[in-house]
Amino acid sequence: MKLAVFDFDSTLMDGETINLLAKAYGSEQQVSEITKEAMAGKLDFYHSLRKRVKTLKGMPLKQVCEVCENLTYNPGAKEIISFLKENGYKVVVFSGGFDEGVSAGQKALGYDIHFSNTLHHKDGLLTGKVGGEMMFSYSKGRMLEKIQVLLGVDSSNTLVVGDGANDLSMFQYAQKKVAFCAKEVLREAANIIIDTKDLSLIKNYL
């Protein structure tokens, strides 16, 4: 058995779920400012996630689901997942985003399982709080290590694909490390760099 792990936002999906939700709810400007703080190193992933989700307080869950049912996926996403599954890979998605988006992505793209965060809600409205399995910058690496133990797969049979600093923690557990249209910090750690927005190009490296 082989293992392929993908990031979701800006890797399989074209864009960031939090930005799309904020745009729909009218908190896009606030989220943009928090993201800038995080990019400048003033906030770590955990704190920036919590601050950004707080701007969605009061958003109807129904509206969240509508946004997530209409996500745009990157070219080649469905194709590469089908190809990997046909060639003996278990395909897993790790997302610092949210279950509603990643669940919709699973229906659309066909990956095997996903791990993400949960937007808390009460009486059909978001509370502005978030929890889950992918809250920290180290979460993806820790989860990948557990899955490798569970499936009996080592790094030589593991492929990881991501675009940002939050994906770095996965790279030490995989022989094939793909930076997809990625930020510089991830490109430096990768051994496969794809700058064309077409995930099917990963086939060339398998």
Side-chain angles (χ1 to χ4, degrees):
M1 187 189 291
K2 293 173 279 189
L3 178 64
V5 181
F6 287 83
D7 168 51
F8 187 70
D9 290 323
S10 296
T11 301
L12 290 176
M13 200 267 283
D14 189 6
E16 297 285 322
T17 311
I18 184 77
N19 294 349
L20 296 172
L21 294 173
K23 186 175 183 179
Y25 189 56
S27 64
E28 191 176 18
Q29 185 59 41
Q30 291 164 273
V31 166
S32 173
E33 284 163 14
I34 296 162
T35 302
K36 277 181 200 162
E37 275 187 88
M39 296 287 276
K42 293 176 185 172
L43 284 175
D44 63 15
F45 179 77
Y46 172 72
H47 289 100
S48 70
L49 177 66
R50 287 184 65 196
K51 278 186 84 169
R52 285 181 289 178
V53 169
K54 201 172 180 182
T55 75
L56 302 177
K57 185 177 180 181
M59 185 174 185
L61 183 62
K62 186 181 175 190
Q63 190 180 15
V64 172
C65 294
E66 282 169 7
V67 171
C68 292
E69 291 296 332
N70 291 285
L71 299 175
T72 302
Y73 300 101
N74 276 321
K78 192 173 176 69
E79 186 183 339
I80 191 62
I81 288 169
S82 297
F83 177 83
L84 289 166
K85 287 173 76 172
E86 284 162 13
N87 285 275
Y89 282 83
K90 285 289 179 192
V91 181
V92 179
V93 169
F94 293 162
S95 177
F98 315 112
D99 184 71
E100 287 80 8
V102 194
S103 293
Q106 186 175 19
K107 284 183 210 159
L109 303 176
Y111 40 84
D112 293 301
I113 196 168
H114 60 84
F115 298 88
S116 58
N117 294 319
T118 303
L119 293 164
H120 293 189
H121 53 87
K122 187 178 180 183
D123 301 326
L125 301 175
L126 298 192
T127 65
K129 294 185 177 174
V130 61
E133 299 143 334
M134 295 285 144
M135 292 286 288
F136 303 96
S137 58
Y138 58 76
S139 296
K140 293 182 180 182
R142 184 172 285 184
M143 186 66 79
L144 175 51
E145 191 179 18
K146 289 178 181 178
I147 290 174
Q148 285 175 324
V149 170
L150 179 67
L151 297 179
V153 175
D154 62 18
S155 61
S156 67
N157 284 313
T158 303
L159 161 79
V160 295
V161 187
D163 75 292
N166 198 31
D167 301 312
L168 265 176
S169 66
M170 298 194 288
F171 273 32
Q172 65 180 296
Y173 299 103
Q175 196 171 79
K176 292 188 171 74
K177 318 163 204 280
V178 182
F180 177 73
C181 299
K183 295 179 177 67
E184 191 56 38
V185 65
L186 200 69
R187 291 168 63 92
E188 288 172 6
N191 54 19
I192 299 167
I193 294 173
I194 294 174
D195 286 329
T196 305
K197 212 181 241 194
D198 182 359
L199 285 159
S200 69
L201 295 174
I202 292 169
K203 289 182 194 175
N204 300 334
Y205 301 92
L206 299 175

